[in-house]
Amino acid sequence: MKKLSFIEITSLYIGVIMGAGFASGRECWQFFGVFGRNGYFGAVFSTVCFVILALMLTYIARSKGTADLGKLISPFENRYIDSMIGWTLAIIYYSMIIAMTAAGGSLLSQQFGISKTVGGALIAILCVVTVLGDFERVSKVFRLLVPVLFVIGVLTILLTIKADFGQSGAVTGYKPGRMSPNWPVSAIVFMAYNSLGMTTMAGNCAVNAKDGRNAYSGAVLGTLCLGGLTILLLRALLTDMAFSSALDLPMLGFSSRISPVLNIIYAIVLYGAVYSTGASTYYGFSTKLKSNRARKYIIIGGAAAGFLLGLTGFKKLVEFLYPAQGYIGILFIVFIIINYFRQLRMNRNQQQ
């Protein structure tokens, strides 16, 4: 891998978070929008936590000279704990096939009135074909998709804020999720959930940066940009809270109010983001499977089971599945903090 500048590291941080859940607006609404203006406090708090975590991960990775997940997360240097962390992440990666088939179904249903079964099944099939085929070749498409998603997503957010459609219903009284009952808890869970995907990328960026200055500045700038995007997205969602609450994919709904052309473009790009998020995380799950005859059938059967579970609906999954992953992420963050201070102490002792 070529040595990365701070600009390239910044773009990688944005790319790893700005997937289907973020771009749809559902994730931001569930974690921040339901709290109204108090959601801004949550978004700022989660941004600060992101910056601190990114700096810690960068320090650990550069000190140990590795991006290995077990060594980044675990402070215990125990192969059984490392294996447990690996399998826990694999299970979390598997759960994303459930969320993404649900999102794909909701998207085609909301946009074209097509049955959620069709949209979800298509995502499941595409993910299976990708994971069973040449993932490296298809991943090039994903890398091209992220900049397009970023441009279209930010454009839609800014146009929504500028349009200021006005409130079509209540501006208070929206029920938060049971697992994220208030904005401080919700902010921590949001950060912890997203950190599960950020950890691997943060480690790779740290060890492949041109130097320490690029590694740390890229980590800070990347997480600050993510925070800024989250606040802008929240501002857009709060322009019409009842509208945002009612839809599985609120930003897709806002794009339709701005322009039919933008709406079609946004729907296509968002469906591509759902596919890429589902395929990349399902691939992460598949790497834990042994290379034998059963592997193919496990991948197909696992996707089919995920699709059936995804029929419960994207809104419910965001409310329960994402926070559950966030609570697991909190445990990993505690490990990372312990690991950071342990490594800091070791480095200081070596310098004395």
Side-chain angles (χ1 to χ4, degrees), residues 3-7 9-10 13 54-63 65 202-221:
K3 294 299 180 181
L4 301 171
S5 69
F6 78 95
I7 293 295
I9 292 172
T10 298
Y13 269 88
L55 289 173
M56 285 184 171
L57 286 168
T58 301
Y59 183 83
I60 295 169
R62 290 191 65 81
S63 295
N204 277 290
C205 284
V207 298
N208 290 290
K210 289 181 177 180
D211 51 37
R213 184 176 180 180
N214 278 279
Y216 288 108
S217 57
V220 171
L221 186 57

Side-chain angles (χ1 to χ4, degrees), residues 40 153-166 228-240 251 254 258:
Y40 288 117
V154 171
L155 176 63
T156 305
I157 289 170
L158 293 176
L159 289 175
T160 300
I161 294 171
K162 182 181 178 182
D164 194 14
F165 296 107
L229 284 171
T230 302
I231 291 168
L232 278 176
L233 177 56
L234 177 60
R235 173 70 178 83
L237 294 171
L238 292 181
T239 59
D240 189 346
M251 286 311 300
F254 279 116
I258 295 168

